[in-house]
Amino acid sequence: MTPARAPGDRILRVGAVVTAIGLVCTLIAMIPLVAPSVDLPSAWWFLSMITGVGLALVIVGLAVSARSRRR
């Protein structure tokens, strides 16, 4: 028997994965600050911006779950 899942669970999980990927990209983008000899393309800075997108998805997932439980 599988447990019942709230409607926002899938959004929450996707948001957590996107946030984790964004955090890894952010750590990679910070390498030139520690080791100035390393030269990374600026695309890593743009990839690190998906951290905020993931956090927004987590917040939306939490809101959807809370609204479904209120009913």
Side-chain angles (χ1 to χ4, degrees):
M1 182 173 183
T2 60
R5 296 183 187 216
D9 281 350
R10 181 172 290 158
I11 298 171
L12 198 105
R13 289 178 191 208
V14 169
V17 170
V18 170
T19 301
I21 292 170
L23 288 174
V24 169
C25 291
T26 301
L27 288 175
I28 292 172
M30 294 292 174
I31 290 174
L33 297 176
V34 178
S37 62
V38 177
D39 190 29
L40 291 176
S42 60
W44 285 103
W45 289 104
F46 294 112
L47 286 174
S48 68
M49 297 299 164
I50 66 170
T51 305
V53 174
L55 288 174
L57 284 172
V58 168
I59 291 170
V60 168
L62 287 173
V64 170
S65 291
R67 282 195 168 190
S68 71
R69 289 187 181 133
R70 190 195 304 178
R71 294 180 194 162

